Amino acid sequence: MNLCSYLKMKKHILVVPGDGIGQEVTAVGKKVLEKIAEKFGHEFTYDEALIGHAAIEAAGNPLPDETLEKMRASDAVLFGAVGHPKYDNDPSAKVRPEQGLLKMRKELGLYANLRPIKLFDELLSASSIKPEILRGSDILFFRELTGDIYFGEKGRENDGDTAYDIARYSTYEVERIARKAFDAAMTRGKKLMSVDKANVLETSRLWREVVQRVAKEYPEVTVEHQFVDSAAMLLIKDPRRFDVVVTANLFGDILTDEASQIAGSMGMLASASIGDGTGVYEPIHGSAHDITGMGLANPMASVLSAALLLDISFGLKEESDAIINAVDLVLKSGVRTRDIADADTPKDKILGTDATGEALLSYL
């Protein structure tokens, strides 16, 4: 067992709910962290900060300086979601919630996004993929987070009739994410898939060259290279083929959302954005304004993000496993939120955000 689990820890956690259901699910995630601190004798302190649409409304800036300072001063960040419908249909808006998210990643040096795709057996029926194809799937994505087309030069020409976004990667950027992925592969099945589009894109050709070079430092790891379109097909056809996957920012964004079908819902998928400083832990789902304030959001991805926080930032593996076990027990008890319920789920077992949170706490 991890020695850290026997030591009382004092840690400061910043809660950044963001927009929409982010505010609802992080409230549950925080309660779970409070319960863990009580159960294991740790001392966690908390603060909150604004980002996204909420920050624009309050301060005119999607990432206020105060929020950034609080992030840098914290031991970890439990994050919600950003986004608002008013910006989705207004491409001309100069200030947007997502700008706060991108700036946060850049300013904190969060170059590696980890997205575990692990299926709970009780949710086999929640996916549109056949259970016999899904069963046993366990994938860990490493998505590069501070390069690629999201951070390259962008603009308009010809009176706005032509638009461009430049994808750019350096050897250093690819090397550091590749090494994190290879290190993880060494602790798992010693298999790694690198996803690119090297038959078309120069950035992908650099990506493949660098991954091939780094692979020589890890002779025990079996490496497979796949083009992104092929990988997208295989992810649905044969998800058990995947173990550790490393890919660029844009490809990772798309593939991990696709992989939510393996888990049954985005409401079940956590993520960790890490670098050399404060880590940020968040569900992969968005702000979901269509159900905001209705108490319907699935809080389990936020709760599982809290488990990642404890494991990765604090080294508290036993505490992290306790949360994952609580999620498993809640699902085994038949409890479901609307997004993971099926036609056979009894109505009294379909719970809202807060009631699901209470069920989770009861198993801790």
Side-chain angles (χ1 to χ4, degrees):
M1 290 186 180
N2 193 328
L3 181 61
C4 291
S5 297
Y6 295 100
L7 302 176
K8 181 177 179 179
M9 276 200 171
K10 288 188 176 183
K11 294 290 184 180
H12 182 66
I13 300 169
L14 181 67
V15 181
V16 184
D19 304 321
I21 63 169
Q23 300 182 29
E24 300 165 46
V25 298
T26 51
V28 177
K30 181 183 175 185
K31 286 180 180 179
V32 167
L33 287 170
E34 290 171 337
K35 183 71 172 179
I36 286 290
E38 175 190 335
K39 179 181 175 70
F40 288 88
H42 301 303
E43 184 179 332
F44 298 158
T45 58
Y46 304 89
D47 197 0
E48 288 203 7
L50 297 173
I51 198 170
H53 171 70
I56 294 172
E57 292 293 295
N61 184 345
L63 182 63
D65 291 343
E66 180 185 4
T67 296
L68 195 54
E69 289 169 10
K70 286 183 177 183
M71 287 177 169
R72 288 178 172 142
S74 67
D75 293 304
V77 176
L78 183 66
F79 193 90
V82 297
H84 194 280
K86 71 176 284 187
Y87 305 93
D88 296 341
N89 296 315
D90 184 9
S92 65
K94 300 299 183 185
V95 179
R96 312 180 68 84
E98 294 77 13
Q99 292 169 345
L101 187 64
L102 296 177
K103 185 179 178 183
M104 175 190 73
R105 293 170 180 170
K106 201 72 171 178
E107 292 292 330
L108 296 181
L110 304 173
Y111 64 84
N113 182 240
L114 283 62
R115 294 191 176 186
I117 313 292
K118 187 169 177 63
L119 178 67
F120 291 91
D121 285 344
E122 288 70 31
L123 295 184
L124 282 169
S125 63
S127 174
S128 58
I129 305 172
K130 294 177 181 177
E132 59 268 26
I133 293 175
L134 283 178
R135 189 173 281 108
S137 299
D138 184 358
I139 308 169
L140 179 57
F141 275 92
F142 281 78
R143 169 191 170 194
E144 199 288 324
L145 207 57
T146 56
D148 207 355
I149 202 164
Y150 291 1
F151 288 91
E153 182 185 345
K154 53 187 88 265
R156 295 282 186 105
E157 296 175 335
N158 300 327
D159 296 325
D161 289 338
T162 304
Y164 62 89
D165 297 273
I166 296 178
R168 187 184 300 274
Y169 267 119
S170 69
T171 294
Y172 169 69
E173 289 173 313
V174 182
E175 278 182 346
R176 61 184 181 177
I177 186 72
R179 284 201 172 88
K180 281 199 177 291
F182 274 103
D183 286 342
M186 287 292 291
T187 69
R188 290 169 54 98
K190 296 185 178 178
K191 290 170 52 183
L192 181 140
M193 180 185 290
S194 177
V195 178
D196 58 39
K197 191 63 176 169
N199 58 336
V200 176
L201 302 176
E202 194 62 34
T203 48
S204 280
R205 284 189 274 272
L206 173 69
W207 183 280
R208 187 170 294 205
E209 289 169 11
V210 174
V211 171
Q212 287 173 334
R213 186 164 62 248
V214 173
K216 294 176 182 177
E217 302 171 20
Y218 299 85
E220 296 177 61
V221 177
T222 300
V223 180
E224 178 183 4
H225 297 275
Q226 284 285 343
F227 296 140
V228 63
D229 41 0
S230 173
M233 178 272 293
L234 288 170
L235 194 56
I236 299 300
K237 181 181 179 182
D238 187 14
R240 285 175 293 192
R241 173 174 177 163
F242 295 74
D243 189 346
V244 174
V245 182
V246 62
T247 191
N249 203 345
L250 176 62
F251 299 155
D253 193 2
I254 297 167
L255 288 175
T256 52
D257 279 5
E258 179 193 1
S260 68
Q261 262 305 294
I262 295 171
S265 169
M266 284 189 184
M268 294 301 302
L269 294 183
S271 78
S273 298
I274 60 174
D276 300 320
T278 305
V280 176
Y281 300 84
E282 61 181 302
I284 79 161
H285 61 66
S287 52
H289 280 270
D290 56 323
I291 59 169
T292 295
M294 299 170 65
L296 298 174
N298 184 346
M300 293 191 200
S302 183
V303 168
L304 290 169
S305 296
L308 279 179
L309 182 157
L310 293 172
D311 186 7
I312 296 174
S313 279
F314 298 170
L316 297 174
K317 185 71 166 63
E318 184 179 352
E319 289 84 336
S320 175
D321 287 345
I323 293 175
I324 296 168
N325 185 58
V327 171
D328 189 38
L329 291 172
V330 165
L331 294 173
K332 280 183 166 64
S333 75
V335 166
R336 299 289 186 270
T337 46
R338 189 182 67 165
D339 57 309
I340 53 174
D342 59 27
D344 296 325
T345 305
K347 288 185 179 180
D348 65 337
K349 289 290 187 178
I350 303 176
L351 304 183
T353 309
D354 292 340
T356 301
E358 291 303 316
L360 287 163
L361 290 172
S362 72
Y363 283 104
L364 285 171

